[in-house]
Amino acid sequence: MTRYARLLWVQLRASMLLAMQYRADFVLDGVVELFWASTTLLPFFVVFAARPVIGGWGRDEALVVVGCFIVLQGVLEGAVNPSLHGVVERVRNGTLDFVLLKPKDAQFLVSTARFSPWKCMNVVTGVVVFAVAFRGLGRPPSAAGVGIAAGMFACAIVVLYSVTTLVVSASFFVVRVDNLSFLFTAVFDAARWPATVFRGALRFVFTFVIPFAMMTTWPAEALLGGVDVRSMLLSAALAIGFAAVSRTVWLRALRSYASASS
Amino acid sequence: MIEVRSLRKAFRVPVREAGLFAALGSVFRRRYRTVVAVDDVSLSIERGERVGFLGPNGAGKTTTLKMLAGLLHPTSGTLTVDGHEPSRREPDYLRKIMLVLGQKQQLLWDLPPTDTFDLNAAIFDVPRDQYVRTRDELVELLDLGDVVKKPTRQLSLGERMKCELVAALIHRPKVLFLDEPTLGLDVTMQATLRTFVRRYNEQEGATLLLTSHYMEDVAALCPRVIVVDRGRVTYDGSREELARQVRPVKRVTLRLARAATAEEVEGALGEGVRVVTHDAAELGVEVDRANVGECVSRALSRLPVTDISVEDPPLEEIMRELFRETSAARLEADADATARVDADAEGAPDSGEDA
């Protein structure tokens, strides 16, 4: 375990070095990230300017969901996507060979190969959004609520990572999965709204198939003090289920790796 | 050290005719062809041996190398390397081997090579002091100096390949699989890499399996060669024996005190002698191995010889001749394979592979 921790640190260090390799890019990336994080809030304010309550959620309560979304988006784009999307290219040009020649778990190696440090700006923005929301509500979240929300966030990250792994695993069979990846990113945008906004089939899909409800709505409910035990257990079960399925599919995909021409 | 028995690797690859209708048709009904990249390869390599793995494009060299490195699963047959079954990719096994692919790189493109070295040291759990010692030693042997501190994208091809070797050797592997390591390098750089690889082999007692289209690499490094063609071993033995079998002649190079014509030289040396290179006063002639003594004696007595040398024909020529013999058979086999195309509506995953 210590060896993997050391390896994670070395990979993180390499990503930091890469981010700082070009000074102009480093500064520009920071400014761009700040801009994108702030634009995430625009649709929210447009909608709530027209209606005070949506799907049973008031503006400040729904803002907590947006905060969860911004944080999770930062994790997705900063820690999950850069590494896993690199796998698609590695499969296509055959440089995955070098990963498979290493005496460490290949999924760990490719999952930690690249981070985008500037995406942590989303996490900072998310925390600011939480502060604004709870100021509007006139009360802070309880310590227990923060603890439960943190646990549910961890489960959400596992599910998000697993879904991305499943998308990436498809590249072993169909080579180009860019469209699938863009589709997921576009659909993930729905997670910025509370799950109760969606009705019928969409609610079922966003709860069980691509469980956005457990990623943003349930942690927000935990912070607001209204989450039930059933959601907590379901959250953990979804994390375990998705992790198991994605691991199985990944290992199967590896076996079919044909190593592109040299 | 390396034991391979009846190794076979087949790929199913999709095929279709050119054109829009064929493309549309393949969406509904895919046709596949079974390509046998490696077909019944058996070989045995001792610890510390340096072996050249030769063959024309598509012969199955790279596929065999990738199976030995554990990257590809054999379709059938067995292979073990130092007691390990490569396809299991056990960490203990991966710590013993390295694979350098001349056309692919593992160096981090935008960072200096030294960052890749750091990363590999962490991945292979190389203790810090041992890592620093190995890195500095390899950097010095390859005369890299401050090159390792420049971003990889700014390095020349030769510098990059040297750094690739350092990155691959940081954990001091005992088995070296080198696939076209000198591809695209200039003559000086090729020689530097050969010297380095040979020294590593001698110092560490490492086993070396090398594929290269540059016969100088094989001539300089590998006393033993294994020739594969169409996935089968067609020769396994010493370089000299291969030369004897394929070209039962010796190359005699004559340097004369004055220019001479090919006819004049052939006339002086007698029957069975053929001039193959001619540059004014320097001529290369081929003569049957049995008649070398007589040929040299005649040359010395009948021509104004200032220098003379007797060698096997260049490996390059031997391989060219060897592969020319099999090219006709290859065309015939390709025609047979086309006939074996089988239609398959269900389809298996597409696989692409350079054999």
Side-chain angles (χ1 to χ4, degrees), chain A residues 22 100 104 258-259 262, chain B residues 66 103 110 123 125 153 353:
Chain A
Y22 309 103
L100 299 178
K104 288 286 190 295
S259 179
S262 61
Chain B
K66 283 180 177 176
Q103 290 183 339
D110 288 308
I123 290 173
D125 302 317
R153 62 186 165 74
E353 172 66 20

Side-chain angles (χ1 to χ4, degrees), chain B residues 10 16 23 38-39 46 87 89 100 121 129 156 161 164 180 184 186 192 201 216 238-239 265 289 305 307 322 348:
Chain B
R16 70 168 171 82
V38 175
D39 189 11
E46 294 299 318
S87 63
R89 296 185 46 244
V100 165
D129 53 342
S156 70
M161 185 43 75
E164 283 287 335
E180 307 279 357
D186 64 43
T192 307
N201 155 264
E216 292 87 347
S238 71
R239 240 179 24 236
V265 171
R289 285 172 188 269
V305 175
D307 194 14
L322 184 68

Side-chain angles (χ1 to χ4, degrees), chain B residues 27-287:
Chain B
V27 171
F28 299 101
R29 186 179 165 81
R30 300 217 82 169
R31 285 155 60 83
Y32 288 88
R33 184 164 77 113
T34 301
V35 174
V36 180
V38 175
D39 189 11
D40 194 22
V41 164
S42 296
L43 53 94
S44 178
I45 296 173
E46 294 299 318
R47 195 178 301 275
E49 256 196 292
R50 296 191 305 270
V51 179
F53 207 40
L54 304 175
N57 286 329
K61 307 183 297 289
T62 303
T63 303
T64 305
L65 227 51
K66 283 180 177 176
M67 283 191 279
L68 285 168
L71 293 173
L72 295 175
H73 292 249
T75 304
S76 63
T78 58
L79 70 167
T80 55
V81 182
D82 202 20
H84 297 271
E85 191 184 322
S87 63
R88 294 170 68 92
R89 296 185 46 244
E90 295 159 330
D92 280 348
Y93 175 62
L94 296 173
R95 285 196 180 88
K96 290 179 184 172
I97 66 160
M98 67 85 110
L99 170 67
V100 165
L101 301 162
Q103 290 183 339
K104 293 177 188 172
Q105 66 162 47
Q106 66 165 320
L107 295 172
L108 298 166
W109 185 247
D110 288 308
L111 293 178
T114 187
D115 287 319
T116 305
F117 305 159
D118 286 352
L119 186 60
N120 279 3
I123 290 173
F124 283 96
D125 302 317
V126 182
R128 180 75 195 167
D129 53 342
Q130 184 190 321
Y131 159 56
V132 172
R133 205 169 49 243
T134 303
R135 180 195 61 193
D136 293 349
E137 188 186 323
L138 295 174
V139 165
E140 194 185 325
L141 277 173
L142 283 165
D143 197 22
L144 279 164
D146 282 345
V147 165
V148 296
K149 294 175 185 164
K150 290 200 294 187
T152 301
R153 62 186 165 74
Q154 290 178 1
L155 305 183
S156 70
L157 185 61
E159 289 170 337
R160 276 212 306 272
M161 185 43 75
K162 283 180 174 179
C163 292
E164 283 287 335
L165 273 175
V166 177
L169 293 172
I170 277 296
H171 60 293
R172 295 221 173 250
K174 294 293 181 194
V175 185
L176 277 51
F177 299 120
L178 301 177
D179 187 29
E180 307 279 357
T182 55
L183 196 72
L185 303 186
D186 64 43
V187 179
T188 316
M189 196 62 81
Q190 286 178 21
T192 307
L193 288 191
R194 279 178 214 132
T195 308
F196 171 77
V197 169
R198 185 167 186 148
R199 186 180 298 185
Y200 184 89
N201 155 264
E202 286 167 355
Q203 277 181 355
E204 303 285 326
T207 308
L208 169 70
L209 189 54
L210 165 84
T211 80
S212 179
H213 281 112
Y214 295 120
M215 291 307 147
E216 292 87 347
D217 287 350
V218 180
L221 282 171
C222 307
R224 176 182 166 195
V225 292
I226 296 173
V227 180
V228 287
D229 190 30
R230 283 174 291 151
R232 286 170 179 270
V233 174
T234 55
Y235 174 82
D236 183 352
S238 71
R239 240 179 24 236
E240 290 74 20
E241 181 56 32
L242 178 68
R244 263 196 295 277
Q245 281 185 18
V246 180
R247 291 282 289 271
V249 292
K250 279 278 187 184
R251 171 71 56 87
V252 179
T253 304
L254 303 168
R255 190 166 292 130
L256 307 178
R258 58 170 172 78
T261 64
E263 292 74 21
E264 183 187 348
V265 171
E266 282 177 352
L269 298 182
E271 289 286 304
V273 174
R274 190 165 64 95
V275 174
V276 288
T277 61
H278 183 200
D279 179 17
E282 188 171 315
L283 297 101
V285 301
E286 278 187 357
V287 58

Side-chain angles (χ1 to χ4, degrees), chain A residues 116-199:
Chain A
S116 297
W118 271 115
K119 297 290 178 183
C120 68
M121 196 57 86
N122 281 50
V123 179
V124 175
T125 310
V127 171
V128 172
V129 169
F130 286 141
V132 171
F134 280 100
R135 192 159 175 245
L137 288 166
R139 61 182 171 83
S142 67
V146 172
I148 294 168
M152 291 179 111
F153 248 134
C155 293
I157 291 168
V158 170
V159 171
L160 204 56
Y161 167 77
S162 302
V163 171
T164 313
T165 303
L166 288 171
V167 171
V168 164
S169 297
S171 68
F172 287 82
F173 304 99
V174 294
V175 183
R176 300 303 296 261
V177 290
D178 300 7
N179 290 339
L180 206 56
S181 181
F182 291 143
L183 177 70
F184 175 69
T185 308
V187 173
F188 179 66
D189 212 44
R192 74 174 67 211
W193 303 105
T196 49
V197 167
F198 304 101
R199 302 260 175 246

Side-chain angles (χ1 to χ4, degrees), chain A residues 32 65 69 80 111-112 122 139 144 146 150 167 194 197 207 211 229 237 242 262:
Chain A
V32 168
V65 179
F69 172 73
V80 178
S111 302
T112 55
N122 281 50
R139 61 182 171 83
V146 172
V167 171
V197 167
T207 305
V229 178
F242 269 82
S262 61

